[in-house]
Amino acid sequence: MNKKDYRSSIAHYSKAIEMSPFEATSYYPSGVALYKTGKDKEAVEDFDRALIIDLRMISAYGYRGLCREKAGNYAEALKDYTLKNVSGFMI
């Protein structure tokens, strides 16, 4: 998928979030699309929201870790990777 497609996805998920702000299943893919377009800070915010709503959204830990690692926040990235791996899921 190219960046244009991810931008379209971001718009789609933003509408879904607006309509149902308590659905982790909208925040997580929005975070992935934001991450893929280099908007790591915004992606972390969406992954945070997804995890607040549903701690079982394990893949959000992995992507949030990637964002934090890119930002040089290695300690927080390690925590996220550990939480993801404890659950046995892969990105």
Side-chain angles (χ1 to χ4, degrees), residues 22-80:
F22 300 106
E23 291 291 328
T25 55
S26 295
Y27 287 104
Y28 171 72
S30 174
V32 172
L34 288 163
Y35 168 76
K36 296 287 187 174
T37 58
K39 297 179 179 180
D40 297 335
K41 182 179 178 186
E42 294 92 339
V44 168
E45 291 171 3
D46 277 359
F47 295 133
D48 287 345
R49 289 184 192 114
L51 290 164
I52 287 168
I53 295 166
D54 185 355
L55 289 174
R56 296 170 298 173
M57 189 70 59
I58 302 301
S59 293
Y61 288 115
Y63 274 105
R64 190 173 70 179
L66 291 171
C67 293
R68 289 175 167 173
E69 184 177 354
K70 279 176 55 178
N73 192 346
Y74 302 114
E76 292 299 312
L78 181 59
K79 287 179 190 176
D80 283 336

